[in-house]
């Protein structure tokens, strides 16, 4: 009995000592220069400190030809510019084509054993790198983003050897993060190569078969000297087969909060995105009403019916016509007169849809009208349509006065930059989606989202609608704006009047 009591007492003491909130031997210890890693500034901590500051940043693309580096650059350019960062892409291939002979586009020019060609390639790459550094440092030429002093430069080249990357690190005084695209999926690689030879000026005058063979030979030349990025080289993100697997090393600050999640979301699957804007009511404050006079706001029930009928008649594919209700012959209202002068990407009389088996993801704001409209679209077949609500899609919250620029909160409201940050999670969801997406939102969020997809400066969406596309996104305009992915990473748009 005495031994049992001793064991119980010992158990209670052990339990008490192991469930405390902190290890007791740290109690009373004061941080000194000997104990603080901050004081010692280890190499890893120095890297973290530099990248967490969100200062000037050089993103260096790494990868063999045909791995989607330029596509990734284009997507990041759109996303970071939309976020308010002054961003620019510096592409070595474009500089080579402008500065060198046509023969420098053939596979032999990229042979590592060709010393003369190798020296020229390095010279051209360093010229482009110097331009990127100059622009980041504030000494670059004027451009559409207001001249030099940029925030993020994307250095788009193969950068496939350790020696090249060491040269970049020695030359650049700013923070560097390597973005390596690795592809070993034969189907993905074949699709990338066909896209590249079909679009790149390097293969002008060649048949598809000739161009593919030349590209494959170029890849073999690079493979002989290729060296993947290693931990010791610093911060990097590695994308495998377009983000099916992502590895990050020493990524902090802006990289961990914005860039890495975006790269994990991006893919090249073909699917459309649809935007429509509902008129807010008094309980749904919104910006200046800019609906075109020729398109008076529809009764909300009529709008819901038209939107549902439009999807199941056209967007959902002909096999879903069984879900149609009401008059199928009812003509849509005429488009504005400006439609005749709209771009070739836009059309109010022709439709281009991807059926995707009729599947559709619907994202709505949390406003009752938007929720009801989303439910109306899903009602004919809830098994094919998923509906989610997000307050991020709610209208811009106005203050006492309308915003004068992207950062102005109008005496107590939201700024357009606040709205951009609010919509960041929506963009990630849209980029990650593999099915068509319909966003039922309101004029200000719809136009800010369009600014992202079309590489339009956000300050250009402030004020009244002027183009056909922005009028389609005016409050309660009876229209849907379709955004269709393009090969190079952008989006084409077309208007469908309900």
């Amino acid at each position: 009995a005495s031994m049992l009591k001793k064991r119980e007492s010992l158990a209670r003491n052990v339990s008490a000592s192991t469930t405390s909130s902190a290890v007791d031997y740290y109690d009373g210890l004061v941080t000194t220069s000997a104990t603080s890693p901050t004081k010692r500034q280890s190499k890893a901590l120095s890297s973290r400190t530099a990248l967490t500051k969100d200062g000037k940043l050089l993103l260096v693309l790494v990868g063999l030809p045909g791995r989607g580096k330029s596509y990734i650059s284009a997507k990041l350019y759109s996303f970071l510019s939309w976020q308010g960062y002054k961003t620019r892409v510096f592409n070595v291939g474009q500089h080579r084509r402008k500065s060198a002979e046509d023969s420098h586009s053939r596979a032999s020019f990229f042979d590592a054993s060709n010393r003369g060609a190798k020296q020229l390639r390095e010279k051209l790459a360093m010229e482009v790198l110097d331009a990127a550094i100059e622009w980041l440092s504030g000494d670059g030429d004027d451009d559409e983003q207001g001249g030099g002093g940029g925030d993020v430069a994307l250095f788009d080249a193969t950068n496939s050897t350790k020696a090249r990357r060491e040269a970049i690190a020695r030359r650049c005084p700013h923070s560097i993060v390597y973005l390596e695209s690795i592809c070993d999926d034969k189907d993905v690689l074949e699709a990338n190569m066909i896209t590249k030879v079909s679009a790149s000026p390097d293969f002008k005058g060649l048949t598809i078969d000739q161009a593919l063979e030349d590209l494959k030979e170029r890849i073999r030349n690079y493979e002989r000297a290729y060296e993947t990025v290693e931990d010791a080289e610093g911060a990097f993100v590695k994308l495998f087969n377009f983000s099916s697997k992502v590895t990050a090393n020493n990524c902090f600050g802006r990289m961990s909060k914005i860039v890495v999640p975006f790269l994990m979301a991006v893919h090249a699957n073909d699917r459309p995105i649809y935007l429509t804007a509902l008129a807010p009511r008094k309980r749904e404050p919104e910006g200046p009403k800019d609906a075109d006079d020729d398109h008076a706001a529809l009764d909300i029930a009529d709008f819901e019916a038209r939107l549902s009928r439009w999807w199941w008649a056209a967007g959902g594919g002909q096999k879903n016509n069984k879900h149609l209700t009401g008059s199928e012959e009812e003509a849509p209202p005429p488009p504005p007169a400006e439609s005749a002068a709209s771009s070739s990407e836009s059309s109010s009389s022709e439709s281009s849809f991807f059926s995707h088996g009729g599947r559709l993801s619907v994202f709505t704001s949390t406003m009752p009208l938007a929720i009801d409209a989303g439910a109306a679209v899903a009602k004919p077949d809830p098994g094919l349509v998923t509906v989610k609500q997000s307050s991020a899609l709610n209208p811009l919250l106005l203050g006492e006065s309308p915003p004068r620029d992207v950062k102005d909160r109008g005496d107590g409201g939201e700024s357009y930059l606040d709205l951009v940050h609010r919509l960041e999670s929506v963009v990630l969801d849209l980029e990650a989606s593999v099915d068509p997406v319909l966003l039922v939102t309101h004029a200000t969020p719809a136009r800010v989202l369009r600014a992202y997809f079309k590489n339009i400066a956000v300050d250009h969406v402030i004020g009244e609608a002027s183009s056909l596309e922005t009028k389609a996104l005016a409050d309660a305009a009876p229209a849907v704006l379709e955004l269709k992915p393009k090969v190079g990473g952008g989006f084409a748009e077309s208007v469908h009047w309900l």
Side-chain angles (χ1 to χ4, degrees), residues 255-405:
M255 288 296 299
S256 62
K257 291 186 295 184
I258 298 176
V259 176
V260 174
F262 180 74
L263 291 174
M264 293 176 68
V266 167
H267 61 85
N269 285 12
D270 215 4
R271 81 284 183 214
I273 294 166
Y274 306 106
L275 286 171
T276 191
L278 286 170
R281 296 297 184 258
K282 289 182 180 180
R283 65 181 181 278
E284 302 171 12
E286 178 57 293
K289 301 302 181 286
D290 51 12
D292 183 52
D293 291 340
D294 293 335
H295 287 86
L298 291 173
D299 175 84
I300 187 60
D302 188 26
F303 182 91
E304 292 173 2
R306 286 175 182 259
L307 184 63
S308 179
R309 183 164 57 247
W310 164 79
W311 170 251
W312 293 108
Q318 293 301 313
K319 68 179 181 178
N320 294 309
N321 282 351
K322 63 183 181 179
H323 297 301
L324 289 174
T325 60
S327 173
E328 299 180 22
E329 302 300 324
E330 186 175 359
E338 292 91 337
S339 63
S342 63
S343 70
S344 60
E345 290 182 350
S346 300
S347 171
S348 57
S349 60
E350 296 181 5
S351 298
S352 174
F353 298 102
F354 303 94
S355 67
H356 287 259
R359 296 188 307 276
L360 177 69
S361 295
V362 179
F363 298 164
T364 80
S365 73
T366 58
M367 299 301 173
L369 296 179
I371 294 173
D372 291 346
V377 174
K379 185 177 180 180
D381 195 335
L384 289 176
V385 180
T386 59
V387 183
K388 297 180 181 178
Q389 291 87 41
S390 171
S391 60
L393 290 167
N394 288 353
L396 180 73
L397 179 63
L398 288 177
E400 293 298 322
S401 59
R404 295 180 294 272
D405 56 51

Side-chain angles (χ1 to χ4, degrees), residues 35-174:
T35 61
S36 172
T38 304
K39 299 293 184 182
R40 289 180 290 143
Q41 283 293 307
S42 67
K43 183 177 179 181
L45 190 57
S46 296
S47 174
R48 177 163 191 156
T49 301
L51 289 170
T52 303
K53 288 179 179 178
D54 286 347
K56 309 287 186 179
L57 179 63
L58 180 70
L59 297 177
V60 178
L61 278 294
V62 178
L64 293 168
R67 266 58 181 181
K69 297 184 299 297
S70 293
Y71 177 87
I72 292 168
S73 294
K75 299 296 288 186
L76 275 172
Y77 168 80
S78 297
F79 188 61
L80 292 172
S81 297
W82 180 70
Q83 288 272 342
Y85 296 106
K86 290 178 64 177
T87 309
R88 192 171 179 180
V89 177
F90 294 82
N91 184 283
V92 174
Q94 289 183 352
H95 182 57
R96 168 177 54 78
R97 285 186 285 273
K98 292 178 180 178
S99 308
E101 302 171 2
D102 290 343
S103 61
H104 295 153
S105 294
R106 298 283 79 85
S108 59
F109 181 72
F110 303 93
D111 189 340
S113 63
N114 185 337
R115 295 184 61 184
K118 182 179 180 180
Q119 290 176 352
L120 180 56
R121 292 201 314 273
E122 293 301 315
K123 174 179 177 293
L124 294 171
M126 292 302 107
E127 288 174 353
V128 175
L129 176 63
D130 287 343
I133 294 170
E134 185 179 37
W135 180 76
L136 281 173
S137 300
D139 302 322
D141 295 333
D142 288 344
D143 68 356
E144 70 277 5
Q145 292 184 323
D151 298 315
V152 182
L154 290 139
F155 184 46
D156 184 5
T158 53
N159 301 313
S160 56
T161 64
K162 188 175 181 179
R164 163 72 71 82
R165 297 190 292 271
E166 287 176 346
I168 294 170
R170 287 194 301 269
R171 221 172 181 105
C172 182
H174 307 296

